[in-house]
Amino acid sequence: MRFRIVALFALLLLLVGCGVREAATTPLPTAPVAPVFTPTPVTSSASPTIPSAPVVEPAATATTINLPTVIASPPDLSTLQLAVEPVANGFRNPTHITNAGDGSGRLFVVEQAGVIWIVQDGVRLEEPLLDLTELVGSQGNEQGLLSIAFHPQFRTNGLLFVNYTDLNGTTVVARYTLSADPNRADPASATILMTIDQPAANHNGGLLKFGPDGYLYIGTGDGGAGGDPWNNAQTLSNLLGKLLRIDVDSNEPYAVPANNPFVNADPARSEIWAYGLRNPWRFSFDRATGDLYIADVGQNAFEEVHVQPASSLGGENYGWKIMEGDRCFEASSCDQTGLELPVFVYPHGSAEGGCSITGGYVYRGQAFPQLNGVYVFTDFCTGNLWGTYGDGVGWQTALIGRVDLRITSFGEDEAGELYLVDRTGGGVYRLVVE
């Protein structure tokens, strides 16, 4: 792996930057630190019938690549040219943007230091929705307040969830409640759902997102340093390097869905939905099909996109650190049995590549029908905008734009139009087709 980079470039890589770039200055613990949860969850009685206990390691005999729901009218990527237009500015190190799904039309912008702002009709409100700066530790390049997710019934229950690293560098997933003011959350309403100890400062993942099934999905990185020295991503007895799935409605503080793939598969953690991920900084569900798109930040060679179809029962192994992208990691050969290969990989070190993937969304808005069904994502360093879709046989992917921005996150509004936030300039932009 490469450790020699200029200081300015390291600062620019923010949370989405490839975490190996911090490894040279981050001392490694002598042993992995096990995730800690408080309190112990129970299995959700509201979930479907419990299946027979799965094996801890997948039984598949061949490497597979998942295909999405087929697009009825495939787009012509060669004719697409994406650009952006400004919506709002003045944000400091934004890390996430999303909507509340409550019919208000508001956008919510998360800042790394711990503040969540509201953008209404292109204007940032004077007071934030929530200020957690006293709780959030953001000294590390990939630490801080990393995302917010609104409960599917937020309009009626006022519940919202945040993911941040605390002053000790520990990952915290917490729930807050809206106050009597619809633009302010009650800071005293916090309930901590879980905490996860982090052995290093980088690779925290950090995205929270509710799936079409109503469960909360949580992305976790492999614990940091570089090259996953503790093999966390392939170890099912901890929660690092995983995609988690929990039920926030059936018990306090949460329950485990009874049909999660590793329920009753001790010592595997029952919260795990998928594993073998390095740093799934951004993932998203196609609002039309339910297919799950995961953008996993690479080591020093490749960035990758994975797709999990809506029909999945979970348990996928996305390969890290056996694989980086579609190549064996630090080996001339490797056993790929049971691994899910990415649907798209791009390399570092070229204008057509980049350094750190920022996952986006499948476009389902109304403004640009020619973009319908295309998964749009970017690279943090080059500003390349990529589009990909599955045609039922394979994947069609093309470079469909380039912007002079350091994009840390995409987001959707309630109508399905896409937005993004710029780390360097602190702006919010709307994605458009030229």
Side-chain angles (χ1 to χ4, degrees):
M1 80 182 263
R2 298 170 302 178
F3 291 102
R4 295 183 179 179
I5 57 169
V6 296
L8 177 59
F9 188 67
L11 291 174
L12 288 174
L13 286 185
L14 174 67
L15 301 110
V16 300
C18 182
V20 301
R21 295 166 177 82
E22 292 187 356
T25 58
T26 303
L28 303 184
T30 57
V33 181
V36 178
F37 280 74
T38 307
T40 302
V42 300
T43 301
S44 169
S45 59
S47 301
T49 303
I50 300 176
S52 57
V55 295
V56 172
E57 294 297 330
T61 58
T63 299
T64 58
I65 299 178
N66 287 324
L67 296 176
T69 304
V70 178
I71 299 174
S73 300
D76 184 355
L77 296 181
S78 67
T79 66
L80 288 174
Q81 183 64 37
L82 302 186
V84 296
E85 59 183 25
V87 173
N89 56 34
F91 301 96
R92 184 177 179 182
N93 299 340
T95 57
H96 189 220
I97 181 170
T98 190
N99 73 84
D102 61 352
S104 68
R106 295 175 297 177
L107 292 173
F108 298 83
V109 179
V110 176
E111 291 183 337
Q112 181 181 4
V115 183
I116 303 169
W117 294 98
I118 300 174
V119 176
Q120 182 88 58
D121 299 324
V123 178
R124 189 179 78 177
L125 302 189
E126 293 185 2
E127 297 294 329
L129 173 75
L130 188 61
D131 187 342
L132 301 177
T133 52
E134 293 185 356
L135 303 177
V136 173
S138 57
Q139 296 84 359
N141 207 36
E142 299 179 33
Q143 295 177 328
L145 181 58
L146 305 180
S147 71
I148 181 173
F150 295 87
H151 193 281
Q153 282 77 53
F154 175 72
R155 181 186 291 184
T156 55
N157 64 23
L159 298 180
L160 55 97
F161 301 79
V162 294
N163 186 319
Y164 63 89
T165 54
D166 67 14
L167 300 178
N168 295 316
T170 300
T171 288
V172 177
V173 177
R175 182 186 71 215
Y176 286 82
T177 304
L178 200 65
S179 70
D181 181 344
N183 289 324
R184 298 297 301 275
D186 179 4
S189 66
T191 296
I192 294 178
L193 274 64
M194 64 172 67
T195 60
I196 307 176
D197 285 348
Q198 296 288 350
N202 54 348
H203 299 187
N204 297 300
L207 184 62
L208 302 179
K209 188 168 287 292
F210 281 93
D213 52 14
Y215 294 133
L216 182 63
Y217 290 73
I218 304 166
T220 68
D222 65 7
D228 193 5
W230 308 285
N231 199 35
N232 285 324
Q234 291 294 319
T235 302
L236 291 174
S237 58
N238 71 54
L239 297 174
L240 297 171
K242 313 297 193 300
L243 191 63
L244 313 180
R245 179 181 184 246
I246 64 173
D247 179 354
V248 299
D249 293 322
S250 299
N251 195 68
E252 284 291 337
Y254 69 91
V256 173
N259 63 343
N260 267 13
F262 299 107
V263 169
N264 300 328
D266 189 61
R269 294 301 302 256
S270 58
E271 293 91 346
I272 296 171
W273 177 251
Y275 66 109
L277 295 163
R278 184 175 180 274
N279 191 18
W281 167 246
R282 290 293 174 255
F283 58 88
S284 64
F285 293 92
D286 182 344
R287 60 164 59 192
T289 69
D291 296 334
L292 172 62
Y293 290 70
I294 306 169
D296 198 16
V297 178
Q299 178 87 2
N300 64 343
F302 300 102
E303 304 297 306
E304 58 197 90
V305 176
H306 293 275
V307 176
Q308 184 185 91
S311 60
S312 171
L313 299 179
E316 285 87 347
N317 181 353
Y318 290 112
W320 175 252
K321 66 175 182 173
I322 301 168
M323 309 280 291
E324 181 188 5
D326 57 358
R327 312 291 177 88
C328 295
F329 178 65
E330 295 186 339
S332 58
S333 64
C334 57
D335 183 3
Q336 300 179 32
T337 302
L339 304 184
E340 298 286 345
L341 287 184
V343 301
F344 180 67
V345 172
Y346 68 86
H348 292 195
S350 72
E352 291 73 30
C355 77
S356 181
I357 191 170
T358 300
Y361 288 81
V362 176
Y363 180 77
R364 296 296 181 184
Q366 300 298 313
F368 309 106
Q370 66 271 42
L371 192 58
N372 182 56
V374 176
Y375 175 66
V376 180
F377 59 101
T378 190
D379 182 80
F380 179 73
C381 297
T382 62
N384 287 337
L385 291 167
W386 294 91
T388 189
Y389 71 91
D391 59 10
V393 178
W395 289 82
Q396 303 298 321
T397 307
L399 187 63
I400 54 177
R402 181 174 291 172
V403 293
D404 187 19
L405 302 172
R406 300 284 180 171
I407 301 168
T408 52
S409 186
F410 285 81
E412 285 182 307
D413 66 14
E414 293 178 51
E417 301 304 326
L418 299 186
Y419 296 76
L420 49 87
V421 290
D422 172 35
R423 156 74 169 179
T424 304
V428 172
Y429 295 83
R430 182 184 295 109
L431 193 71
V432 298
V433 177
E434 290 187 327

